[in-house]
Amino acid sequence: MKKKIIAIVAGGDSSEHDVSMRSAEGISSWLDRSKYEVYTIEVRGLEWNARLEDGSLSPVNRHDFTFEAMRSSIYSMQKTIKPDFVYITIHGTPGENGILQGYFDLLQIPYSSCNLLVAALTFDKFTLNQYLKGFGVKIAESILLRKSQAITAEEVISKVGLPCFIKPNGSGSSFGVTRCKTTADILPAIESARMESPDVMIESEIVGTEIANGVFRKADGEVHVLPITEVASENEFFDYDAKYNGQVTEITPARLTDDTTARVKALTKAIYTILGGEGIMRVDYIISHKQAEDGSQQDIINLLEINATPGMTATSFIPQQARADGLEMSAILDEVINQKLGNN
């Protein structure tokens, strides 16, 4: 059977460029070379280059997403490569916000992630939360501050209180996120967030246990929810150092009751289904606690955000959850690819 040509598209134009390249390394290492011919495409602005086996770079023709590669070292023959499938692992623009999804739709090249609409929706944190709120999903009180809008610190406090989180509305890896504890923190935090995204989301703090739950669609269409990871950060919140520099304890499966575990996984599956999810996604929550009338503690599931192109580095959640589920990442990637390509 002829090998399928897989292009892993990574990099991008945000602060998450380098994290994305590390995700590409992880994905490349898991793809079965007996089934796939694999290339990594690094995107930076209008510079798109395929990384070839000999370490050289081959410019990508963006008109048809092709590039030239040496196919025979003996005769020094070059051949035009056109990928059969694209694995999008850009965290940030243009891979997480729907731009590349629309591009590949136009070229009729299947890709790993959800479609343009869902990608754009999940990238816009405020809009996504308000949309899912209509389905009964619990979210924190929040304010959306557009690029042209101004707000006083006093207005922020009156609407969401303190402490609060100020974050870019369209970004990830916790770049530009600040936990504000005082009035003086607020306006500098807004400026910091605007370094990453013109629109800023201001959100009340929910105290509780942070968790992450991966999910993917198998080749037969079944939605498979992975085990839950509990996040215990050494820092004030799950920031960049906690995510990528080891300043966190990640426990998989999470230390939740059986009932709460079942409810979280059911909610993850429902959200994925509501959105028409494709490929691997990750849903992040905060579990807060409420005292019931009988004195027992009730766990409340609050949505934080959804990652439609989650990290796939060595320290990322999805590989951890796959191991806890007894699954190999190579098998999960096969499911994602075959769901789009079929089993041919």
Side-chain angles (χ1 to χ4, degrees), residues 160-181:
V160 301
L162 286 176
C164 68
F165 284 94
I166 296 180
K167 60 182 73 173
N169 193 48
S171 184
S173 293
S174 297
F175 285 112
V177 178
T178 304
R179 180 176 183 262
C180 297
K181 295 178 286 186

Side-chain angles (χ1 to χ4, degrees), residues 37-58:
E37 185 177 331
V38 181
Y39 298 90
T40 295
I41 311 292
E42 182 174 6
V43 171
R44 191 189 293 272
L46 296 179
E47 292 186 14
W48 297 20
N49 290 296
R51 294 185 169 188
L52 306 182
E53 286 186 4
D54 62 2
S56 63
L57 300 178
S58 179

Side-chain angles (χ1 to χ4, degrees), residues 7-32:
I8 305 169
V9 179
D13 304 329
S14 74
S15 298
E16 298 179 87
H17 181 101
D18 292 346
V19 175
S20 171
M21 295 305 297
R22 299 210 301 270
S23 285
E25 291 174 5
I27 293 164
S28 179
S29 72
W30 295 316
L31 286 170
D32 187 344

Side-chain angles (χ1 to χ4, degrees), residues 234 240-249 315:
E234 297 173 14
Y240 181 89
D241 283 331
K243 287 179 178 176
Y244 301 110
N245 295 328
Q247 297 175 10
V248 67
T249 300
T315 59

Side-chain angles (χ1 to χ4, degrees), residues 69-321:
M70 193 73 69
R71 298 299 296 270
S72 171
S73 58
I74 298 175
Y75 301 105
S76 298
M77 293 175 60
Q78 281 196 327
K79 185 173 181 178
T80 299
I81 304 294
K82 185 174 180 63
D84 298 302
F85 181 88
V86 174
Y87 198 106
I88 300 174
T89 190
I90 291 179
H91 312 314
T93 187
E96 200 170 5
N97 55 2
I99 293 174
L100 279 183
Q101 286 80 358
Y103 166 77
F104 289 122
D105 282 340
L106 285 172
L107 294 180
Q108 299 183 14
I109 301 174
Y111 51 86
S112 58
S113 72
C114 53
N115 64 30
L116 185 161
L117 175 61
V118 178
L121 182 61
T122 56
F123 191 68
D124 189 313
K125 296 179 176 67
F126 183 85
T127 302
L128 172 72
N129 285 1
Q130 299 307 311
Y131 175 71
L132 290 175
K133 185 178 180 181
F135 290 88
V137 178
K138 295 184 182 299
I139 62 169
E141 291 294 325
S142 59
I143 304 167
L144 178 64
L145 200 60
R146 295 293 187 190
K147 181 179 180 180
S148 58
Q149 289 180 296
I151 196 169
T152 67
E154 290 72 24
E155 288 174 317
V156 170
I157 294 170
S158 69
K159 292 180 180 179
V160 301
L162 286 176
C164 68
F165 284 94
I166 296 180
K167 60 182 73 173
N169 193 48
S171 184
S173 293
S174 297
F175 285 112
V177 178
T178 304
R179 180 176 183 262
C180 297
K181 295 178 286 186
T182 69
T183 304
D185 294 336
I186 293 172
L187 296 184
I190 291 172
E191 292 307 309
S192 175
R194 278 185 166 151
M195 297 290 289
E196 300 292 331
S197 168
D199 297 335
V200 173
M201 183 176 176
I202 305 171
E203 196 171 43
S204 63
E205 180 180 61
I206 298 175
V207 177
T209 303
E210 184 165 347
I211 60 171
N213 194 197
V215 57
F216 66 95
R217 190 179 299 277
K218 297 171 71 173
D220 62 5
E222 176 191 348
V223 176
H224 184 87
V225 182
L226 293 166
I228 302 164
T229 298
E230 177 183 342
V231 182
S233 175
E234 297 173 14
N235 303 332
E236 282 192 326
F237 65 97
F238 192 42
D239 61 7
Y240 181 89
D241 283 331
K243 287 179 178 176
Y244 301 110
N245 295 328
Q247 297 175 10
V248 67
T249 300
E250 297 169 1
I251 303 163
T252 309
R255 297 171 297 182
L256 303 172
T257 66
D258 291 345
D259 175 69
T260 300
T261 296
R263 289 194 295 122
V264 168
K265 295 180 79 170
L267 181 56
T268 296
K269 185 174 184 177
I271 288 172
Y272 189 89
T273 303
I274 288 166
L275 294 175
E278 299 285 350
I280 302 170
M281 298 176 74
R282 196 188 78 232
V283 188
D284 298 343
Y285 305 95
I286 288 278
I287 305 296
S288 60
H289 310 292
K290 178 182 177 182
Q291 199 77 12
E293 292 182 1
D294 62 2
S296 62
Q297 179 178 275
Q298 292 182 340
D299 290 343
I300 310 299
I301 307 168
N302 306 276
L303 175 68
L304 276 180
E305 64 180 37
I306 296 174
N307 291 273
T309 55
M312 301 288 271
T313 69
T315 59
S316 295
F317 292 124
I318 299 299
Q320 295 179 46
Q321 294 174 8

